[in-house]
Amino acid sequence: MRLVSRRTVLAAALAADLALLGWLGRTLADRVQRSGAAVSQTALLQAEKPEEAKFAALTFDDGPDSRYTPLLLDGLRERGIRASFFLMGERIPGNEELVRRMKREGHLIGNHGYRHEQLTHLRPEQAWEEIERTNRLLEEITGERPRYLRPPYGAWNEGLENQLDMTSVFWSVDSLDWELQDKKRIVERVLKDLEDGDMILMHDIFSTSVEAALELADRLTAEGYLFVTADELLIE
Ligand code: ZN
């Protein structure tokens, strides 16, 4: 029961969110006339029984990447899908416009450390500085302090948790995209494991990852999945 009511609330909130996005109303509505793929997320939101929708979150670590992140953002925008980006501080300088675009287009922007250090191997004050440096950068660019952290390698402990006023976000399906670097194999791997409510880990620093993510978006939309951001999946 609780799950059903959460979904209804979520679907309603998403519908309201999307209604607020001017570009969706105009650009996507135009595309909807022409393209089957682009209709689906909108159509799902307007379905009679939104509680029957399934949810998944596409999450991307290690960016922003000046080559591949723009392609991914284009593809997500065409499909009316919002994703979550956990950014590495040292990759932000020079890519500020990409970060602004993520925010403008409704994606969740989280922290993935500054240099991709394994935080559990650092002294607490060093770990704090790794995270804080990226938070400061992101806050300067977006005007908003990040609330979500994905620790590099998923390495985390209670000491760090208590030290920070952030929510740590992990994943439930690892696409192994960085290792496979093959669109078809990445897609197959994710589809094999994916269930309602899953959080998919990918990296927007490879062309194969971007291609796989967009194919997953289309195939899962066709299966009735609605894509939400990581924070929306965490609501309980
Ligand atoms: Zn990473």
Side-chain angles (χ1 to χ4, degrees):
M1 279 306 286
R2 210 170 64 169
L3 205 59
V4 169
S5 67
R6 172 179 73 100
R7 285 167 188 205
T8 310
V9 168
L10 200 50
L14 275 167
D17 261 12
L18 291 173
L20 286 172
L21 292 174
W23 59 263
L24 191 83
R26 294 188 304 274
T27 319
L28 197 65
D30 294 342
R31 286 171 196 275
V32 160
Q33 308 291 322
R34 289 177 269 120
S35 148
V39 184
S40 310
Q41 289 279 309
T42 315
L44 284 169
L45 287 167
Q46 292 164 349
E48 273 180 34
K49 294 181 177 174
E51 69 270 19
E52 284 177 9
K54 294 179 278 189
F55 293 94
L58 284 167
T59 70
F60 299 91
D61 289 5
D62 296 7
D65 183 285
S66 58
R67 296 156 299 175
Y68 304 121
T69 308
L71 302 176
L72 176 61
L73 289 172
D74 290 347
L76 294 173
R77 184 169 60 184
E78 276 173 23
R79 292 163 175 81
I81 288 174
R82 291 172 307 130
S84 306
F85 291 89
F86 295 94
L87 304 181
M88 266 175 68
E90 70 174 9
R91 294 198 171 148
I92 293 171
N95 287 318
E96 290 85 350
E97 186 46 40
L98 275 177
V99 178
R100 278 189 282 272
R101 181 176 169 192
M102 287 172 187
K103 182 172 161 70
R104 210 165 48 233
E105 297 183 357
H107 302 293
L108 179 137
I109 298 172
N111 185 325
H112 195 49
Y114 195 84
R115 288 183 216 83
H116 212 273
E117 299 264 7
Q118 186 162 334
L119 300 172
T120 50
H121 287 176
L122 301 177
R123 290 201 310 275
E125 62 273 22
Q126 288 177 312
W128 186 84
E129 183 54 26
E130 273 289 307
I131 297 164
E132 190 51 31
R133 221 175 143 187
T134 301
N135 274 348
R136 280 197 300 266
L137 263 179
L138 289 173
E139 189 171 5
E140 271 169 33
I141 298 167
T142 67
E144 212 172 289
R145 192 173 164 79
R147 293 168 52 210
Y148 298 90
L149 171 78
R150 176 169 278 157
Y153 313 103
W156 197 234
N157 61 38
E158 211 176 315
L160 290 165
E161 183 80 40
N162 295 336
Q163 193 187 343
L164 274 183
D165 185 22
M166 294 181 83
T167 302
S168 42
V169 178
F170 299 90
W171 57 87
S172 52
V173 173
D174 187 346
S175 70
L176 290 182
D177 59 337
W178 57 274
E179 191 182 342
L180 297 171
Q181 297 206 30
D182 178 293
K183 171 184 157 182
K184 188 164 174 280
R185 291 177 68 199
I186 298 166
V187 168
E188 278 168 7
R189 182 182 162 81
V190 171
L191 291 179
K192 181 170 76 65
D193 290 342
L194 191 85
E195 289 176 3
D196 186 15
D198 270 330
M199 184 144 5
I200 304 165
L201 171 64
M202 303 190 82
H203 301 79
D204 53 324
I205 55 171
F206 306 107
S207 60
T208 46
S209 299
V210 172
E211 290 162 13
L214 297 177
E215 175 152 346
L216 282 166
D218 289 338
R219 290 179 60 169
L220 292 171
T221 299
E223 285 184 25
Y225 273 90
L226 277 171
F227 289 96
V228 294
T229 48
D231 54 334
E232 291 165 330
L233 211 54
L234 295 171
I235 295 169
E236 194 47 67

